[in-house]
Amino acid sequence: MNFKIKLSLIVILLFNVAAFAQGSYTLKGKVISSSDKASLPGVNVMVTSSKVGVQTDFDGNYAISVTPGDVLQFTYMGFATQEVKITNQKSLDITLADGSNQLEQVVVVGYGTQKKGNLTGSISKVTNKDLDQIPVSRVDDALMGQVAGVNIQQTNPTAGGAPTIKVRGQGSISFAGSPLIVLDGVAVGNDADFLGSIDMNTVESVEVLKDASSSSIYGSRGANGVIMITTKKGKEGPTKFSYNTYMGFKSVPRTNILSTPEKWAQHVRENNNGELTPQMAMIARLGTYTNWEEVMYDGGTITDHSLSISGGTENTKFRSTLGYNNDEGVQLTDNYKKLNASLNLDTKVKKLEFGVMLNPSYTKQRVFANSNINAIRQSSWLPIRLDAHSIQFVNPVTFPNVKIGDYAEERFFTNYDLTTDTPGTGTTSINVTGDGNPYAYVVESDNEVMQTKIFGNSYFKINFTDHLNFKQSFGGDYRMIKEENRMGTKATLNYAGDASSSYNSTERRHTVAESLLSYNNDFGKHNVSAVAGFTMENWDTEYVSLRGTGYTNDYIATIPAANVSTGGGSMTQTDEKLVSYLSRVNYAYDNRYLFSVSFRADGSSKFGPNKKFGYFPAASIGWRISNEKFLENSKFVRELKLRASYGATGSNSGIGEYAHLGMVNPISTGLTGTANGYNVSNISNPDLGWEKLVEYDLGLDASIFGGVLGISFDYYVRRSEDLLLNLPIPAVTGFNTALVNSGKVENKGFELELRSTNFKSKNFTWTTSALFTHNKNTLLDFAGASGLISVIDPKRPAEWIALEGHPISSFYGYVATHEIEPGYIKNPLYPINVQSQDIYVKDINGDGKIDTNDRQILGDPNPDLVWSLNNTFRYKNIDFSFMVQGSHGAEVRNVDSQYLQNEFNANADYIPSFPDAALVKERIFTTDDIQDASYVALRNINLGYTFDGELVKKMSLTKLRLYAGAQNLVYIMAKNYNGYNPEGIMPSSGPGSLPTTPTTYGYQRGAAPIYKTISFGLNVEF
């Protein structure tokens, strides 16, 4: 071989060696935490240019193929993202800083994601770091106290019951203002039941879009804020299993609200010259005592199991979860069971991406059959069942067929002769209510709600370039709700006369198709991201109701055909459509100057032909002052951003699908008695259109003291206009009211979030977050109906007033001054715990008499301040956290005291000779029933221990953690509050409900009690 050939071969060989040296190789390293130097398992390590990535193992080790010049990105939830350029390192150890720099978080926004530092709207994010360890059966319960501006209120905390959620106050006069729920990018509606069907273990993060600028991309759906839930996805790596479980014990803290026969007998002696009244003497001889609080609030357990499997390759990733929850609640017969599953599958083939998400669930809820107050207001001497002793006091003349073992009723104990100890022959009676046995009413009734929900979404995505893509998705949800209510023959004092069975079913199909074109690119110092799209949604609903009566026994609980004719049945079908066009452009210059503009047009089939479409624009700006040169080297300010936004949203919730049409109902004539004609039921309105909400928001985000303290502050003013109201119209039209667009409501306030790292060392970390929310609600324009007085319960006709310049809902009535002297009360010593029905009130106008002119606004149900304080401590393998949450300034119209203190009883009325009858009013009309609903609660407390790696490895696991937690361990109520739940509000639907509206909000009667839970849990990964 000649020299030239040899030399050429040598050069080629050397070139290949050099090329190989510059080619790919395996880089190894370890990732630890900066705070405690602990290994971080599950850190995502990715080559940014190719999206190739791996995860660290349990000891924080990783190995990845790299090429010099690559940029490695290390990301881990709760820690700041770090990027490193590869030169020729053979190993690379990384220390991740705690993610106290909130502005670098990636936040899910409507139809996309964005760095929080580049946000110009008001969005709060909660990552599921510890939420799945709070022993609750619903996602919204776990979010309580986690987001400023979001008031989550336990208005009726039954097992599985939904709390009330308000984002920046109540904007509508006529309809509830619940936020829109978006699950993995698909809007599923504002029904809180969706939050009850999700397993908290499947949730990755929750974002809340609070201002109109952020939520206007959802147009008509975003008027009351948006709660966006992102579920966990599969990650590249070996298949992993995760099992989370806990068991909790629930109970109601005992109170001194209910008196005992023994305590009341002592009270009678002290106020009756040492003697018992005849009624108390009979009760003493009966000698029975039932603690109705313990009977009705018997406590229970809550258990939860969740098993997930996840993994995948570079191109295909999956995650699947199966969960089960059983919540027994604290009320007698309460129970809630939930079985749910989820599947997330994503795959990529070159420029194409495909994915599917499926989330089926089944829940079964047994609802407490009666109002709580009816259950516990019974006389404490009443036994549950009659025995050989108590039956001796039953009136045999009136109730000859009563026998031992029957449910006891107060009406049985009448006409007792104290001289001869003979029932039915004397004059002493101790019954004070005509109700049946409260225990029987609950256990002999059965109210169950079964729901089957299936939510699904599929998509395909075409990446035309690295900057431009098109995404088409098809999804929706299916719901089948069945309600079965049965009242047995022994449930009431009318026995078989009240026995009935009812069946209601609601089937709803919601489909949605979305087409989105997205663009994102950098041009030097310029960054532009944009999205444009079209969506189409459809809802089909079918409602069937059947009711049967005439049961003589409890052997058959279903509704035979023979019983339907005595009960009745109905069926309703509706259809609704919504089409939308949306667009948004975000622009950033030099990562300093930020601008965003969006527009959405919604067309709803609910509205008239002249106002079918609503148009919702938004714009916002931001200035990242910390990126200016004069602050770039500041050790004090790490991040500082000012932002301002304007946005418009709308609402079509709360009205019927055909409200703009003149609908007809079948009617019968006097000649035939059958339905042989039709009658128009409402007046048509072709101009019926959208409720509109316009909001202005000024905000500041900062990270100071070198990142130790994070601050987020917002001041907002939001006005709802063109409200959907039923207003009086001239009777000449043939109708009393018509649904029109009129009225205006304002909510304004501030939100403050503080997050700090108080102490950080190798083994110990202490972090704190504090949230404060203030909102003021004002009715600006009530379309000529200012001063409207409303009553929701004719039996207890307390009043509300909707007065311009005041909140939508204000309590109205008289100012109580002092009590009536006992000498003027018919029987001030009976029944047990009795209080007079009437009370002296103030002569406001000083005319010497009490009339309607002496009424005034007595308060309102809106809190002045809602806050929470959350502390987390980590020492080596031990973690400890607690949250204190409070609400101040809200009031409730609490009529529970009317029952608890027997104020409706005839014994509590004044005698005919009472001289000041014109100067008193019933308590339900006065400030005596307007009670302070403020509270301070230790909402959550959690103590956990994570076992170290060597022990866990020996057990063939990758993670093992044990923890104990508690909820509402301490719950402090206001001094003048008399009840079990200052957050409680009368529901507008379901058992024991009344037709409440936003103008009559704040009515409390029989709300389920606040309970405490102590739980123990386990987290395992393998």
Side-chain angles (χ1 to χ4, degrees):
M1 184 179 297
N2 62 38
F3 178 75
K4 289 183 177 180
I5 296 175
K6 292 180 180 179
L7 182 61
S8 298
L9 291 174
I10 292 171
V11 171
I12 293 172
L13 179 61
L14 291 175
F15 177 81
N16 286 336
V17 170
F20 180 78
Q22 296 298 318
S24 62
Y25 65 96
T26 299
L27 177 69
K28 296 182 178 180
K30 186 174 184 177
V31 183
I32 62 173
S33 166
S34 64
S35 60
D36 55 9
K37 309 305 178 184
S39 301
L40 294 178
V43 176
N44 292 315
V45 186
M46 184 179 67
V47 178
T48 58
S49 59
S50 64
K51 306 299 183 182
V52 174
V54 297
Q55 283 188 330
T56 58
D57 62 16
F58 183 83
D59 295 316
N61 298 316
Y62 71 94
I64 188 171
S65 178
V66 298
T67 302
D70 286 343
V71 175
L72 274 188
Q73 184 184 74
F74 298 82
T75 58
Y76 192 61
M77 183 184 299
F79 290 81
T81 297
Q82 188 171 338
E83 293 185 350
V84 178
K85 187 173 182 178
I86 302 302
T87 54
N88 286 306
Q89 304 101 317
K90 300 304 178 184
S91 65
L92 180 62
D93 294 337
I94 295 295
T95 301
L96 291 184
D98 182 78
S100 57
N101 184 1
Q102 297 290 320
L103 300 183
E104 290 303 312
Q105 284 186 346
V106 175
V107 176
V108 176
V109 297
Y111 306 101
T113 60
Q114 205 173 354
K115 277 189 176 182
K116 187 166 185 177
N118 290 337
L119 288 177
T120 50
S122 181
I123 301 177
S124 293
K125 177 175 182 175
V126 181
T127 56
N128 186 9
K129 194 174 182 181
D130 301 308
L131 295 183
D132 51 11
Q133 296 164 21
I134 300 175
V136 292
S137 54
R138 301 178 55 90
V139 171
D140 36 13
D141 283 333
L143 289 175
M144 189 173 297
Q146 302 288 343
V147 181
V150 179
N151 187 17
I152 301 178
Q153 190 174 346
Q154 292 185 315
T155 49
N156 194 30
T158 57
T164 299
I165 306 176
K166 299 291 182 187
V167 178
R168 294 186 169 180
Q170 174 71 30
S172 177
I173 296 177
S174 303
F175 314 113
S178 301
L180 173 69
I181 300 165
V182 178
L183 181 59
D184 281 335
V186 177
V188 294
N190 57 5
D191 190 336
D193 274 334
F194 281 105
L195 296 175
S197 62
I198 301 171
D199 182 357
M200 194 67 219
N201 292 278
T202 68
V203 175
E204 179 77 20
S205 65
V206 179
E207 277 86 357
V208 182
L209 314 185
K210 296 183 289 187
D211 68 327
S213 172
S214 303
S215 57
S216 65
I217 193 68
Y218 287 103
S220 63
R221 319 289 297 283
N224 301 303
V226 182
I227 296 178
M228 305 188 68
I229 298 175
T230 303
T231 59
K232 296 176 181 178
K233 305 294 191 296
K235 298 177 180 178
E236 181 180 352
T239 300
K240 289 186 177 182
F241 292 86
S242 176
Y243 173 64
N244 296 327
T245 184
Y246 65 78
M247 181 174 185
F249 303 89
K250 307 174 75 171
S251 62
V252 176
R254 299 305 171 201
T255 69
N256 294 319
I257 294 177
L258 304 182
S259 185
T260 67
E262 183 178 342
K263 288 181 179 179
W264 196 252
Q266 180 180 350
H267 170 79
V268 170
R269 288 191 178 95
E270 292 173 353
N271 293 274
N272 195 44
N273 300 319
E275 299 292 330
L276 291 177
T277 61
Q279 292 93 344
M280 289 308 301
M282 179 181 172
I283 291 173
R285 295 185 190 185
L286 177 62
T288 54
Y289 167 59
T290 302
N291 188 332
W292 291 108
E293 190 176 272
E294 289 186 357
V295 171
M296 295 301 171
Y297 303 151
D298 62 339
T301 62
I302 179 172
T303 55
D304 188 270
H305 304 276
S306 180
L307 176 65
S308 66
I309 176 173
S310 64
T313 64
E314 176 185 346
N315 293 324
T316 301
K317 302 174 181 64
F318 70 92
R319 191 176 195 277
S320 182
T321 301
L322 181 65
Y324 172 76
N325 182 278
N326 184 14
D327 184 355
E328 294 181 351
V330 293
Q331 299 179 123
L332 185 66
T333 73
D334 253 13
N335 189 250
Y336 179 76
K337 291 183 174 69
K338 176 173 65 177
L339 179 66
N340 60 277
S342 68
L343 171 66
N344 280 297
L345 179 64
D346 299 278
T347 187
K348 181 179 180 181
V349 181
K350 295 183 179 179
K351 292 183 177 295
L352 298 179
E353 297 181 32
F354 306 89
V356 63
M357 194 276 274
L358 190 64
N359 183 3
S361 67
Y362 174 78
T363 61
K364 183 177 182 180
Q365 181 182 19
R366 183 173 181 183
V367 184
F368 193 72
N370 198 2
S371 165
N372 281 274
I373 294 305
N374 286 338
I376 64 173
R377 70 166 175 152
Q378 301 297 317
S379 297
S380 53
W381 55 262
L382 182 70
I384 294 177
R385 292 182 182 272
L386 296 171
D387 58 16
H389 169 71
S390 58
I391 202 171
Q392 299 177 65
F393 295 82
V394 173
N395 186 337
V397 178
T398 309
F399 303 101
N401 299 320
V402 172
K403 59 186 182 298
I404 294 174
D406 287 349
Y407 289 113
E409 299 175 11
E410 289 195 29
R411 60 178 179 162
F412 293 168
F413 300 87
T414 59
N415 301 116
Y416 190 81
D417 191 328
L418 289 171
T419 304
T420 61
D421 283 333
T422 306
T425 61
T427 59
T428 303
S429 300
I430 56 176
N431 64 311
V432 295
T433 176
D435 291 347
N437 186 284
Y439 181 84
Y441 197 108
V442 175
V443 300
E444 297 292 341
S445 299
D446 191 3
N447 300 331
E448 293 186 331
V449 181
M450 289 78 68
Q451 298 197 44
T452 300
K453 307 187 194 74
I454 302 175
F455 171 77
N457 187 42
S458 61
Y459 73 89
F460 71 84
K461 184 177 179 182
I462 305 174
N463 297 302
F464 298 112
T465 69
D466 290 339
H467 311 294
L468 180 66
N469 66 72
F470 172 78
K471 182 179 180 181
Q472 178 65 52
S473 62
F474 301 94
D477 55 90
Y478 170 83
R479 300 179 66 188
M480 170 58 80
I481 306 174
K482 295 182 179 180
E483 299 179 59
E484 296 181 358
N485 302 319
R486 181 187 64 85
M487 182 173 289
T489 58
K490 300 177 182 178
T492 71
L493 56 85
N494 292 324
Y495 305 127
D498 285 340
S500 65
S501 185
S502 65
Y503 170 87
N504 303 315
S505 72
T506 302
E507 186 175 10
R508 189 175 190 183
R509 296 169 292 275
H510 170 218
T511 56
V512 55
E514 293 181 346
S515 304
L516 300 174
L517 185 66
S518 301
Y519 177 81
N520 191 344
N521 201 359
D522 293 311
F523 305 94
K525 293 184 178 181
H526 307 272
N527 173 265
V528 177
S529 64
V531 62
F534 168 78
T535 72
M536 179 179 293
E537 298 185 64
N538 186 78
W539 293 265
D540 292 309
T541 304
E542 180 180 285
Y543 176 78
V544 176
S545 176
L546 296 174
R547 186 171 185 271
T549 59
Y551 293 88
T552 59
N553 56 62
D554 295 328
Y555 301 135
I556 299 177
T558 56
I559 305 177
N563 296 96
V564 175
S565 60
T566 61
S570 63
M571 178 178 177
T572 304
Q573 291 180 315
T574 61
D575 179 78
E576 179 188 352
K577 289 179 171 60
L578 182 75
V579 295
S580 306
Y581 304 88
L582 62 97
S583 62
R584 180 182 60 222
V585 177
N586 296 324
Y587 171 75
Y589 174 74
D590 197 23
N591 207 25
R592 290 183 293 162
Y593 309 115
L594 314 171
F595 176 72
S596 178
V597 61
S598 67
F599 181 81
R600 178 160 175 150
D602 279 344
S604 172
S605 61
K606 285 186 173 182
F607 293 126
N610 299 338
K611 297 290 181 68
K612 190 71 68 178
F613 271 86
Y615 304 99
F616 311 105
S620 55
I621 57 175
W623 178 24
R624 296 191 72 176
I625 306 174
S626 54
N627 288 350
E628 298 289 352
K629 290 184 178 180
F630 60 83
L631 281 178
E632 62 182 1
N633 295 319
S634 173
K635 294 182 180 180
F636 178 74
V637 178
R638 177 182 289 185
E639 292 283 351
L640 179 61
K641 180 179 64 173
L642 294 176
R643 48 187 168 78
S645 68
Y646 159 86
T649 56
S651 177
N652 66 348
S653 64
I655 64 171
E657 287 79 2
Y658 313 108
H660 71 284
L661 299 173
M663 294 181 288
V664 296
N665 288 328
I667 60 170
S668 60
T669 67
L671 296 176
T672 64
T674 59
N676 56 2
Y678 295 91
N679 188 24
V680 179
S681 59
N682 67 293
I683 191 169
S684 63
N685 183 0
D687 293 317
L688 188 66
W690 299 86
E691 284 193 348
K692 296 183 180 66
L693 184 146
V694 177
E695 181 171 9
Y696 301 87
D697 186 286
L698 295 175
L700 177 146
D701 299 311
S703 178
I704 58 177
F705 300 114
V708 171
L709 177 63
I711 303 172
S712 183
F713 177 83
D714 282 271
Y715 175 79
Y716 61 88
V717 177
R718 60 190 307 184
R719 290 189 176 94
S720 304
E721 303 173 349
D722 296 334
L723 303 178
L724 293 164
L725 298 175
N726 276 299
L727 292 182
I729 59 175
V732 69
T733 62
F735 304 95
N736 295 320
T737 62
L739 186 62
V740 299
N741 290 106
S742 190
K744 184 182 297 185
V745 171
E746 179 184 79
N747 285 280
K748 63 181 179 180
F750 70 82
E751 300 158 2
L752 176 64
E753 297 186 9
L754 303 175
R755 303 182 188 274
S756 66
T757 302
N758 307 316
F759 187 85
K760 181 188 292 186
S761 67
K762 179 180 179 180
N763 294 323
F764 179 73
T765 304
W766 171 25
T767 60
T768 298
S769 66
L771 312 179
F772 303 90
T773 301
H774 166 73
N775 182 78
K776 182 179 181 181
N777 177 268
T778 306
L779 177 61
L780 299 180
D781 179 6
F782 202 12
S786 179
L788 174 69
I789 297 175
S790 302
V791 172
I792 62 172
D793 187 356
K795 293 182 178 179
R796 303 156 195 87
E799 295 176 333
W800 282 255
I801 188 170
L803 187 65
E804 292 175 359
H806 296 270
I808 294 174
S809 176
S810 295
F811 308 122
Y812 197 55
Y814 301 88
V815 177
T817 57
H818 58 283
E819 299 287 342
I820 300 175
E821 294 180 11
Y824 290 115
I825 303 299
K826 289 181 179 178
N827 193 341
L829 301 179
Y830 186 77
I832 293 174
N833 221 33
V834 68
Q835 181 173 263
S836 66
Q837 182 173 223
D838 302 288
I839 191 170
Y840 282 94
V841 297
K842 188 175 182 179
D843 181 11
I844 297 295
N845 59 9
D847 62 358
K849 61 181 180 179
I850 301 298
D851 55 24
T852 56
N853 295 319
D854 294 305
R855 294 174 299 174
Q856 67 178 38
I857 290 179
L858 307 179
D860 67 82
N862 304 300
D864 296 322
L865 180 68
V866 178
W867 60 273
S868 65
L869 181 67
N870 200 333
N871 282 276
T872 301
F873 305 87
R874 299 184 186 276
Y875 176 72
K876 293 185 178 180
N877 293 15
I878 301 173
D879 60 271
F880 174 72
S881 63
F882 68 89
M883 177 196 287
V884 180
Q885 194 251 341
S887 175
H888 305 276
E891 294 164 308
V892 290
R893 172 156 254 146
N894 182 13
V895 300
D896 289 357
S897 59
Q898 299 285 311
Y899 297 90
L900 295 172
Q901 297 177 313
N902 286 288
E903 294 168 4
F904 282 130
N905 190 265
N907 289 274
D909 208 349
Y910 52 77
I911 60 178
S913 60
F914 177 51
D916 295 334
L919 303 179
V920 300
K921 290 290 181 181
E922 288 186 39
R923 293 177 190 269
I924 56 173
F925 300 117
T926 74
T927 52
D928 198 60
D929 277 351
I930 309 301
Q931 299 179 3
D932 189 353
S934 302
Y935 65 87
V936 175
L938 180 59
R939 283 295 189 192
N940 301 306
I941 185 170
N942 199 292
L943 175 65
Y945 182 82
T946 302
F947 291 85
D948 56 39
E950 292 302 320
L951 176 62
V952 172
K953 277 185 177 180
K954 292 179 182 180
M955 302 172 66
S956 299
L957 303 175
T958 57
K959 180 181 179 181
L960 176 61
R961 180 177 181 271
L962 298 175
Y963 67 91
Q967 269 191 305
N968 296 324
L969 202 59
V970 178
Y971 194 100
I972 302 173
M973 306 178 191
K975 289 184 178 180
N976 82 321
Y977 176 76
N978 184 31
Y980 296 92
N981 179 5
E983 303 173 62
I985 299 295
M986 169 67 68
S988 58
S989 62
S993 63
L994 286 172
T996 57
T997 67
T999 57
T1000 55
Y1001 192 76
Y1003 188 59
Q1004 182 175 121
R1005 196 187 83 192
I1010 293 291
Y1011 55 83
K1012 66 179 180 181
T1013 307
I1014 298 176
S1015 59
F1016 304 91
L1018 169 70
N1019 306 136
V1020 180
E1021 289 183 3
F1022 53 94

